[in-house]
Amino acid sequence: MDILFIGPPGSGKGTQAVKLAERKKLKHLSTGDLFRKHLKEKSSLGQQVQLYIDKGELVPDRLTNDMVEVFLKELSLEEKIIFDGFPRNLFQASALDQMLKQAGRQLAHVFYFEIADDQVVDRLTGRLWAPKSGCIYHIRNKPPQKAGICDQSGEALIVRSDDKEEIVRSRLKVFHENTKPLIDYYEKKGLLNRISAETSPETVFQSLLKALEGKSG
Ligand code: AMP
């Protein structure tokens, strides 16, 4: 059975999704990562979505849903998925319901990563990114050994353009206005689990494992 992560930017859900996918042998669908891949490759989709991502706005639903549909079609039913960053609004949630139904799939758990806005701003505006190695650092919480340089690849670290404070604040606004209604949506379906994302990554991971324990899938 499939799993879905909801949370504001900077809640750590992406990191947890990678870890959980590895531990439980799941396929990880991060729509943010997929869009960034298209941007890097300068594909036609990449060119269409660049402006939205730069501004911290949601990419139009049609483009997003089509991309997810392509991803789903490439998987067999035995391969289970973690949806990370999709759906981001009620329209996408209902499109996902349709896609899952058509594919004979079912959501088993929805995890909501709870974190205060101020913590998000602190985390994201201090985040440093190594585009080639994919390593992520933080100016205060996880600095690289040599300032501005990736420990692994030696490349220069950058601030992701959508991690600038003004953009982070608009991404948070988008989360509150568009994505938060999903909490109610999945709560009514009896699928929602709340996880405090303000604790350490290891504590969050243990909470996830505990919530998954004893349930099939
Ligand atoms: P993320 O890395 O998940 O924060 O996503 C980065 C950016 O990609 C977002 O700010 C949006 O512009 C876009 N994006 C990612 N997922 C979606 C989605 N499900 N719907 C619309 N836009 C998305």
Side-chain angles (χ1 to χ4, degrees), residues 9 13 30-33 35-36 52-53 56-61 64 84-88 92 160 162 171:
K13 64 181 170 38
S30 159
T31 41
D33 283 352
F35 282 135
R36 276 185 289 280
Y52 299 99
I53 294 180
E57 289 173 6
L58 290 185
V59 169
D61 292 328
T64 309
D84 162 19
F86 180 89
R88 284 259 232 293
Q92 292 182 6
R160 235 172 75 179
D162 59 351
R171 287 163 72 198

